Structure formats: C-alpha cells, structure tokens
Amino acid sequence: MKGLLARMQGLRIKLILVFLLVGLVPLLGAMWVATETVSDMLERDIVSKLNQALTHGERYMENEGNRLALIAHTILSDDSLKGLDYEASRREALKIRKSQGVDFVCVCNGSIVKGDPDIGFPHRKGALPKSFGVTTVIYRGEDLPALVGVYRQGQWTGVAGKLISTSLLEDMEELTGVEVAVWLRGSRAWGVPDNLSDTEKNRIERWLKRVTIKGIPLYDEEMEMGGQEYKTVLVPLKSWRGEPLGMLMLSLSDKQTFESLLVSKRYFALIMGLGVLLSVTLGWWVAGRISQPVQRFAASADAIAQGNYSLEVPLTHRQDEIGSLARAFERMRQGLREAQRREKLASLGELSAGLAHEVRNPLGIIKNAAEGLLNRERSQKERELLLEIIVKESKRLNKLVSDFLTFARPTPPKKVEGSLKKLVEEVAFSMKGEIEKKGIALKLELDEALLPFDRDQMRQVLINLFLNALDATPEGGEIGVSLLKEKQEVYLRLWDTGKGIPREHMDKVFDPFFTTKEKGTGLGLALAYRIVEEHGGTIKVDSREGKGTMVEIRLPVTKGKPLYEPEG
C-alpha cells in the first residue's frame, strides 16, 4: 500500500509532464509553423500585390486612354477651341484641363495649334495614334512621354493628354497602392529617390536595356534604391508604334512588406511565451486540485479491492460531488467491514474485486475528463461537457455504492399482509411515462393476490425488472406483467420483446456485478434474487436472443413452509 501511495503521489508530476509533452511541444511547433506560414503568405502576397498592381495599371492606361480620346472628340466636335482666337482658346483650354483632370488639351491643323499654352507642337507628323496611346510630346520645351487621346475631324485633330512623368504616375500609385516610377533612356527618371548611387544607377540602366531590348517585363526583382530594399516589377514603356521609350517600375519597399512580418513574429513569440508560462502555472495548480482527491480515492478503492476496510475514506466533510462520493465510499467501506465481521458474504473477496473493477471504470472516466480540462486548446463548450461527465460519473458511483450496500448488508424482510396486485399496478403506473416515451406498449393481466411481503423490498424488485425490460426493448415493442394465484403460490411473470440474453450469459445473470449494459451496475438481478430468496420464493429467467426475456417469480401465499429454504 505504501508503494501504491508513493506512486500515486507522482500523479501530479505525471499530469504536468503529459501536459508539457502533449500541449507545450505541439504549441511551440504550431508557433514555428504559424510564423513560417505567415512569412510565406506575406511573400506570396507581395508578389501577388505587384502582379495585381501591374494588371490594374494596364487596365488604368487603357481606360484613361479611352477617356482622353473622348475628351478630344468633345473639344473638337463642339468647336470649343478651334472657333476661338489663340488667347481665348488658351483660356478655355485651362478650364478644360482643370475640369477634366488632364495636363493638356489642344486642337491643331497643320502648323495651327489652338488650346493649351504649355504645348507647342505636341507631335511629329504622323506620330499621333489613331485613338489613344503613349507618345512623346513637347511640353514646355522638353520632350516628355505622355498618354494622349486623339480624335480627327477633317483637317483638324483634337488632342487631350496626361504626362506619364507627373499626374499619370500619381494616379497609378493611388490606384495600385505601390510605388510607381518611370525611367527613360538617357537616365531621365521620375518617382525615384534623388540620392541614387552610381552602382544603383548602373544596375537600373542594365535593367532598362534588358527590358527595352526584349520588350517583356521582369518580375520579382530585388534592388536597392536610396538605402532601401525593394521588390520590383519592371515593365517596358513603349510608344503606340512600339518604339521603346523606357520602363515603368512598380515597387514595394522592405519597410512596406516586411515590417508587418517582423512585428507579427515578435508579438507572436511574446504572446506564445506568456501563454506557455500561464498554461504551465495553471496546469500545475489545476493538476494539484484535481489529482489529489482522485489519488486518495484511488488509494481507497485499491485498499477495498485488497480486502482492507480499515482505511477511512478522506474528504467526507466536503459539500460538493467529491464529498458526496467520499461519503458514499465511506458508507460502502463501513458496510463491507460490517459484512466481513459478520461473515455473511462467503464470496467477499470476489465481490470486492468486482466492486473495485466497477469503481475504476467511472473513476477512469473522471480522471480522463480531469486531464482533458488541462488541455488549453479545449473550447469553453468542451470544458463544460467534461465537467458534466465528472458530475454524471460521480452520481453513477454513488448509485453503485448504494446498491452494493443494499446487497452486501441485507435486512430481513418486514412482511405485512397486502395486495401484490396493487403494488404491481403502482410500479407500472410510475414507469408508464418512460415506457410510453419510448413507444413501448404495456400489458397487464393481474389477478388479486393477497400474501405477506415486504412492500419496500418487493417494490425494489419490480422496479429493477421494469428497468431491465425497458432497456432491452426497442421502440414499438411490448412489456407485459401477469399475476396468477394458484392454490398456495403466486406466479409473477414480467416479459418483454427485447433483444434477449445470449445463451452463454444465462448462468451469470444473478451474479453480482455481471451486466451486459454499458452503464449497468450488475446488482439489480442479484438484489432481486436475494430479496425473493428472503421471502421464501424463487426467481428464474428464460430468454431467447432476438426474441425477448421473461422473469418468473414464485412466492408462497401463507406464512407456512416457504417454496425455497435459504441457507443460513
């Protein structure tokens, strides 16, 4: 026993070690996987965002080109510029620029240009697209790339445009959410840092040659500009005739892309560390609170299983389920010790072993549920379910102990003359609700039968028989009770159309703790056998598997010689 108690004292340590192995290691692994997953997701998100930006940029260029062409059509069709003199047309062009959000508008006929004051001759002969496209314009004396919309009407041509180097870049950055720059041949650039080193400039020039010569984008490039690392997509910038002008650079800096990743990793590690520390602390405390009473109960159960009834059960003073269980254990211990002292149970060792076995089952369930509460990944709903299991199994243990006490410490029947028919009707009426709820038919065929019997003990026999029949009978089945008096004997038969009892189990049905039910105690028929025997009667069971079961009780009518003379 000392060795057992010493081993049980280690349960708390074992619970903590199991928690660390089962909970902490996967938790740390999950943290590592989560951070790596977040990192990969952000990397993929960067590439995806740049590709989406490229798609949105291309769509924007097309939509904006169509809009510019529509503006060109409007200013040419309504004579808003060509019918005015030069000064008036320039003033009108300024109004149109502000209202339409463009950089320049004009109409021209050969060398005659009316409209925007910042545009001289905006194109070489034959260089303007048919509808819209990128071309080079002379803006304030400088050749600059622009997206222009064009409309022709007779000898006149209407033009509306946006400079790629200024407003178009700003619009694209706002639309795509990334940094947009343009790099032209001749090292002219807009939207790039001013403090580029010669090495950085040379690298960009190499990219410019690759992009303009091959005419295809370069994806997922890494570069340094102005002291910051960038992820970049490089797109060739061509005129509407396919002439290479330079390249567009769509970029996301390290500060934009990886700052959130670093922050998330740091907070992730901090939160997980605090969570682990809190979990271990709570786990240690909860393990102690739960394991200690379970250890002491387990020690008591093992002591009882070994036939030692002198060890008093602790915790009987508690006013919760554990206290109720402890008091039930103590009553059981006292009852077994009394039964041992009187030597009325010839098979006390076998009964004790059976009881310990039956006790261990719900105790094991309680222990597993308690260990499940230690798992921090359990949801609140799962924790409530585990607590319900502990309460339910405690009540089950309490009933088991109470039934065992009744069996192990029987009291002589207090026989009083009465109507067995009336008692059967009362019990059947009390069970009627459960029977009808399950959809089972109840049949009673009762003759009047007056005989001496202990009303409480026979009520217990009838309830146990009804419960067995109710458990075995499926929906749509039948349960019947017949009571027949013949001369000096009364025959009470209770039958059902349930699943029956296998033949190999028939010899064990009256053995204590033998049961085929998942939640049964195995004491119902044993108690019924003892009570009927004490009344001088007999009880037998006849069953066919798949057909049903009938229990027959024979009781003497008079106080004379019993039908069965119990030993002792």
Side-chain angles (χ1 to χ4, degrees), residues 432-450:
K432 188 175 181 181
E434 291 294 325
I435 294 174
E436 291 179 348
K437 182 179 180 181
K438 198 173 177 181
I440 298 173
L442 177 62
K443 294 184 178 181
L444 300 178
E445 298 176 2
L446 307 176
D447 291 344
E448 183 58 63
L450 299 175

Side-chain angles (χ1 to χ4, degrees), residues 24-38 264-274 276:
L24 183 59
V25 174
L27 193 63
L28 293 176
M31 180 182 71
W32 180 82
V33 171
T35 54
E36 291 300 316
T37 301
V38 170
S264 67
K265 282 188 175 181
R266 290 171 188 159
Y267 278 103
F268 211 110
L270 177 61
I271 292 172
M272 292 298 287
L274 293 175
V276 168

Side-chain angles (χ1 to χ4, degrees), residues 411-417 420 423 451-461 531 535:
T411 57
K414 299 177 181 179
K415 299 179 183 179
V416 177
E417 187 84 14
L420 186 58
L423 178 62
L451 68 157
F453 64 95
D454 187 313
R455 188 176 184 85
D456 291 334
Q457 290 187 2
M458 289 305 299
R459 180 189 297 276
Q460 185 176 6
V461 170
I531 292 172
H535 279 73

Side-chain angles (χ1 to χ4, degrees), residues 461 510 524-534 537 539-540 564:
V461 170
F510 295 114
L525 284 178
L527 285 171
Y529 187 92
R530 170 64 64 85
I531 292 172
V532 172
E533 187 181 64
E534 291 289 338
I539 179 172
K540 67 178 183 178
Y564 174 80

Side-chain angles (χ1 to χ4, degrees), residues 178-428:
V178 301
E179 297 182 30
V180 183
V182 61
W183 193 281
L184 301 181
R185 288 183 170 183
S187 299
R188 292 191 301 166
W190 293 268
V192 297
D194 296 331
N195 57 343
L196 290 179
S197 66
D198 292 338
T199 301
E200 295 167 350
K201 291 179 181 179
N202 291 335
R203 188 177 186 187
I204 295 175
E205 285 291 343
R206 288 196 299 270
W207 279 339
L208 178 62
K209 290 179 181 180
R210 289 175 58 187
V211 170
T212 55
I213 291 174
K214 293 184 178 180
I216 58 175
L218 294 179
Y219 295 95
D220 199 19
E221 294 290 344
E222 295 184 1
M223 64 179 297
E224 182 177 340
M225 290 191 302
Q228 290 193 33
E229 294 292 333
Y230 286 83
K231 285 275 189 178
T232 303
V233 174
L234 307 171
V235 185
L237 180 63
K238 300 178 182 180
S239 71
W240 69 276
R241 302 180 70 173
E243 300 168 344
L245 302 177
M247 65 180 179
L248 289 175
M249 304 166 61
L250 284 70
S251 307
L252 281 172
S253 69
D254 273 356
K255 186 175 181 180
Q256 293 172 287
T257 57
F258 296 108
E259 191 175 63
S260 58
L261 173 61
L262 295 176
V263 171
S264 67
K265 282 188 175 181
R266 290 171 188 159
Y267 278 103
F268 211 110
L270 177 61
I271 292 172
M272 292 298 287
L274 293 175
V276 168
L277 179 61
L278 180 61
S279 298
V280 171
T281 303
L282 289 178
W284 180 269
W285 182 77
V286 172
R289 297 282 295 179
I290 294 175
S291 62
Q292 286 179 2
V294 174
Q295 291 173 9
R296 300 171 78 176
F297 281 137
S300 297
D302 277 304
I304 292 173
Q306 297 173 20
N308 180 8
Y309 310 121
S310 61
L311 183 63
E312 187 172 334
V313 179
L315 304 176
T316 55
H317 62 281
R318 294 176 59 143
Q319 299 302 314
D320 53 9
E321 289 79 13
I322 291 180
S324 176
L325 180 60
R327 289 188 290 274
F329 261 82
E330 179 62 17
R331 291 195 302 270
M332 177 193 68
R333 183 189 66 83
Q334 293 176 2
L336 285 174
R337 187 174 61 178
E338 182 70 17
Q340 185 184 47
R341 186 165 51 247
R342 295 180 180 182
E343 297 182 355
K344 289 185 177 181
L345 296 175
S347 58
L348 182 59
E350 180 182 354
L351 291 178
S352 300
L355 175 63
H357 174 75
E358 291 299 320
V359 167
R360 281 196 187 98
N361 289 336
L363 268 181
I365 295 174
I366 293 172
K367 179 181 177 182
N368 290 337
E371 291 176 346
L373 290 173
L374 299 178
N375 190 343
R376 65 182 296 274
E377 296 179 359
R378 297 279 188 183
S379 65
Q380 182 64 27
K381 184 176 181 181
E382 290 175 330
R383 290 177 178 272
E384 292 174 357
L385 180 60
L386 290 173
L387 290 173
E388 290 176 4
I389 291 175
I390 292 175
V391 173
K392 181 179 179 181
E393 292 302 318
S394 298
K395 292 180 178 178
R396 177 185 168 193
L397 276 173
N398 196 17
K399 183 180 184 304
L400 171 65
V401 173
S402 299
D403 289 346
F404 180 79
L405 287 176
T406 303
F407 176 80
R409 193 171 57 185
T411 57
K414 299 177 181 179
K415 299 179 183 179
V416 177
E417 187 84 14
S419 171
L420 186 58
K421 174 185 176 183
K422 185 175 181 181
L423 178 62
V424 172
E425 289 174 339
E426 290 176 2
V427 175

Side-chain angles (χ1 to χ4, degrees), residues 440-441 443 464-474 477-482 492-503 505-507 509-510 514 516-517 525 539-553:
I440 298 173
K443 294 184 178 181
N464 285 339
L465 296 183
F466 266 104
L467 289 175
N468 288 342
L470 185 61
D471 287 340
T473 306
E478 293 181 353
I479 295 177
V481 184
S482 65
L492 173 65
R493 298 184 179 95
L494 190 149
W495 53 269
D496 62 68
T497 60
K499 57 186 178 182
I501 303 172
R503 180 174 297 179
H505 293 165
M506 289 296 296
D507 293 336
V509 294
F510 295 114
F514 175 78
T516 58
K517 295 187 292 184
L525 284 178
I539 179 172
K540 67 178 183 178
V541 176
D542 185 19
S543 181
R544 293 184 181 181
E545 193 171 3
K547 299 292 185 180
T549 301
M550 183 185 73
V551 180
E552 182 184 85
I553 296 175

